[in-house]
Amino acid sequence: QVQLVESGGGLVQSGGSLRLTCAGSGFPVGDEIMTWHRQAPGKAREWIATLFPGGATFYDDSVKGRFTISRDDAKNTLYLQMNNLKPEDTAVYYCQNHDSNTWGQGTQVTVSS
């Protein structure tokens, strides 16, 4: 049973920060290609970040320099640190085990102003 559970979303002001958490179970997060996606109202789901087992990271230009994808192997948890948030970041955020195409339930991030 591969499962991902997201938390950490909420309402923040423009320029603020949030850290999203994605707790994995049934697989080692450090051995899988992990991603974050987001879906804004009325829009398609879009990829924003990837973390490879060896530590390589890739970001969409829309979040590059502001967001950081990381993991804690001891906690089997994936993170997305979001800084300098903008209203256009408002979306439901999903973590994904790319190798098994398993998704979390999503967590809402709303940026005001």
Side-chain angles (χ1 to χ4, degrees):
Q1 170 231 39
V2 173
Q3 189 172 330
L4 298 169
V5 179
E6 294 146 335
S7 61
L11 174 64
V12 295
Q13 297 180 51
S14 182
S17 298
L18 280 176
R19 187 181 72 166
L20 305 184
T21 295
C22 174
S25 61
F27 72 97
V29 165
D31 290 353
E32 307 286 302
I33 300 170
M34 302 296 297
T35 79
W36 286 96
H37 290 65
R38 66 185 180 186
Q39 187 166 20
K43 292 190 172 184
R45 187 180 302 174
E46 65 171 338
W47 166 84
I48 56 172
T50 299
L51 174 61
F52 285 85
T57 58
F58 295 90
Y59 300 93
D60 183 73
D61 286 343
S62 65
V63 306
K64 193 176 298 179
R66 300 187 298 121
F67 291 11
T68 303
I69 186 172
S70 64
R71 66 174 184 262
D72 185 332
D73 290 342
K75 298 178 180 178
N76 207 43
T77 298
L78 183 76
Y79 300 100
L80 184 68
Q81 178 66 47
M82 305 185 294
N83 297 327
N84 191 25
L85 283 160
K86 305 174 180 181
E88 51 262 46
D89 295 320
T90 295
V92 178
Y93 284 71
Y94 301 89
C95 62
Q96 180 207 32
N97 178 332
H98 172 79
D99 292 328
S100 65
N101 194 30
T102 302
W103 298 82
Q105 82 286 355
T107 185
Q108 176 71 49
V109 172
T110 303
V111 184
S112 64
S113 270

